Amino acid sequence: MPTPMPTPMQNPLRTPMRIICVAGARPNYMKIKPVLDGLEAHGAETFLVHTGQHYDPAMNDVFFRDLGLRPPDRFLGVGSGSHATQTGRVMAAFEPLVGELAPDLVVVVGDVNSTLACALVTAKAGPLLAHVEAGLRSRDWTMPEEVNRLATDRVSDYLLAPSEDAADNLRTEGYHADQIHVVGNVMIDTLFANLERAKASGTLAGLGLVPGSYGLVTLHRPANVDDPEILAGLLKGLGEVAAHCPLVLPVHPRAAEKIDAIGAPGGIRLVPPAGYLDFIALQAGARIVLTDSGGVQEETTALGVPCVTLRDNTERPITVEQGTNVLAGRDPDRILATALRLLDDPPPPRRPALWDGRAGERIARVLLEGGTAAGRPRPTDVR
């Protein structure tokens, strides 16, 4: 059953609990803010650690500013590199920090390399470990994120699931019932906290856009942008959609040169990377969104905006079953057919349970009140 909204704390801790909260990449910032807010509201001593996995000011500093997220207490500055190099650098930088701060608990979010690296260090160093967004599964082992998710869950003490389907995955994999907590979606906390401010920001007017008159596109996953043939097919399909609904594409840094080399079809307007508030405004005003982002699948579901996912699978199937998302894959003809269907007959707005803007509060209460999961041996036979 979903974790209910708690009543005020009955037994506040005598001394503040010391908690490290880790962020490493842009999707982490929106996820860690509600957790920090919830923990601090109940008196926990928090340390925000930024690993530096993403460090481009155009895509990093603006998110901190838009979210009202305080500057990190420590910046590890690991930078880019191969998966092994980046993961190793994060581990080497994070390990002495854990020794120095001696936290009671470490919180990691999402599925990036920093998530796994800090989880492994924590599991070996001894503090309790909590994973926000536990239980998400694409079942696609070609995705590095899937490896990160599975391995992070494996070594975690607290598995904080965003929805009941994610909790079902964990139960099926053999985790203890008292490790698993359905807490809702922290991304939606941040979305709802900033939605009205985003709508009032003037983003659409600044770009000459009228709500409901355009579609929004995001492309950033390596599987979609690193192979020129695949990217060309996606752009072809998007160009055909643009003949029916003009598209706006904020260009992700890792995709910019590759898209420029192929050339964007007519009807697709390329714009600079968008900050958080600008991007939420673009989503909220869009007639349709076409994306390869997991977070965008969730945000469009919360906003009630039709979403076409340019992937063959999703670790967020609840956005298909109970939201506005449809998987289209990467075939140009299927992308066009799916988009035209949603443009002609948009799905009714639906929002999963506990996606109500209060996940951070639930997480704080689970972690600060402890419970039998604290210190429990981790599963030994999870397949």
Side-chain angles (χ1 to χ4, degrees):
M1 294 293 293
T3 303
M5 256 325 286
T7 56
M9 294 185 76
Q10 302 296 318
N11 298 304
L13 297 175
R14 294 180 183 177
T15 57
M17 193 172 184
R18 177 173 288 191
I19 300 175
I20 294 177
C21 295
V22 177
R26 288 176 294 281
N28 292 173
Y29 312 152
M30 292 85 82
K31 297 169 187 176
I32 207 65
K33 178 65 162 60
V35 179
L36 279 168
D37 290 346
L39 291 171
E40 291 170 356
H42 287 302
E45 181 185 11
T46 62
F47 291 85
L48 176 58
V49 174
H50 187 340
T51 68
Q53 180 174 330
H54 282 174
Y55 53 93
D56 183 340
M59 296 288 284
N60 181 84
D61 296 349
V62 67
F63 274 74
F64 273 67
R65 183 176 66 249
D66 284 354
L67 294 172
L69 187 60
R70 73 172 194 247
D73 299 294
R74 297 294 177 90
F75 180 73
L76 304 185
V78 300
S80 60
S82 70
H83 288 286
T85 298
Q86 193 173 64
T87 302
R89 284 177 179 165
V90 175
M91 292 181 71
F94 188 62
E95 184 178 49
L97 184 59
V98 171
E100 174 191 340
L101 296 178
D104 300 294
L105 175 76
V106 174
V107 179
V108 296
V109 297
D111 53 22
V112 299
N113 288 339
S114 294
T115 305
L116 175 60
C118 293
L120 291 173
V121 168
T122 303
K124 293 183 177 184
L128 293 171
L129 176 65
H131 183 203
V132 175
E133 286 197 332
L136 297 182
R137 301 289 184 265
S138 69
R139 296 177 175 82
D140 180 357
W141 284 90
T142 67
M143 295 177 64
E145 297 91 343
E146 184 74 352
V147 178
N148 292 345
R149 292 179 202 116
L150 269 291
T152 300
D153 283 345
R154 177 87 176 212
V155 298
S156 294
D157 300 285
Y158 293 97
L159 299 167
L160 304 167
S163 51
E164 192 61 40
D165 62 319
D168 286 342
N169 289 333
L170 295 167
R171 296 183 190 107
T172 299
E173 292 170 7
Y175 289 94
H176 302 293
D178 56 6
Q179 290 180 277
I180 303 167
H181 303 269
V182 182
V183 294
N185 192 325
V186 287
M187 288 279 286
I188 307 308
D189 286 25
T190 300
L191 173 67
F192 287 168
N194 292 281
L195 182 57
E196 294 309 314
R197 192 159 60 104
K199 288 180 176 179
S201 66
T203 301
L204 299 191
L207 291 171
L209 298 172
V210 176
S213 67
Y214 65 93
L216 177 66
V217 179
T218 78
L219 283 174
H220 77 281
R221 288 193 175 272
N224 280 349
V225 302
D226 286 356
D227 185 322
E229 184 175 347
I230 291 174
L231 180 58
L234 287 169
L235 291 173
K236 176 179 182 294
L238 292 170
E240 291 172 353
V241 174
H244 301 269
C245 176
L247 300 179
V248 176
L249 171 56
V251 184
H252 192 286
R254 82 177 325 277
E257 291 185 7
K258 298 176 175 66
I259 292 175
D260 186 61
I262 296 172
I268 301 178
R269 179 180 174 186
L270 304 182
V271 298
Y276 180 72
L277 293 179
D278 291 339
F279 189 71
I280 292 302
L282 286 168
Q283 283 191 88
R287 184 179 173 192
I288 191 171
V289 174
L290 302 101
T291 186
D292 58 5
S293 163
V296 172
Q297 295 170 47
E298 295 173 322
E299 290 168 341
T300 49
T301 280
L303 292 169
V305 176
C307 179
V308 178
T309 292
L310 308 173
R311 291 166 48 188
D312 295 317
N313 53 60
T314 177
E315 63 282 356
R316 294 162 171 87
I318 197 166
T319 63
V320 177
E321 298 158 4
Q322 298 183 28
T324 58
N325 184 27
V326 178
L327 291 177
R330 297 180 292 187
D331 176 73
D333 293 336
R334 188 176 172 192
I335 292 169
L336 176 63
T338 303
L340 291 180
R341 176 162 55 87
L342 294 186
L343 288 168
D344 291 340
D345 186 20
R350 298 179 297 174
R351 189 182 302 157
L354 300 186
W355 289 26
D356 56 4
R358 303 178 74 180
E361 167 71 12
R362 294 187 189 94
I363 289 170
R365 299 187 62 86
V366 167
L367 300 182
L368 294 178
E369 291 180 351
T372 55
R376 176 184 284 280
R378 299 171 178 96
T380 57
D381 188 25
V382 178
R383 302 183 197 277

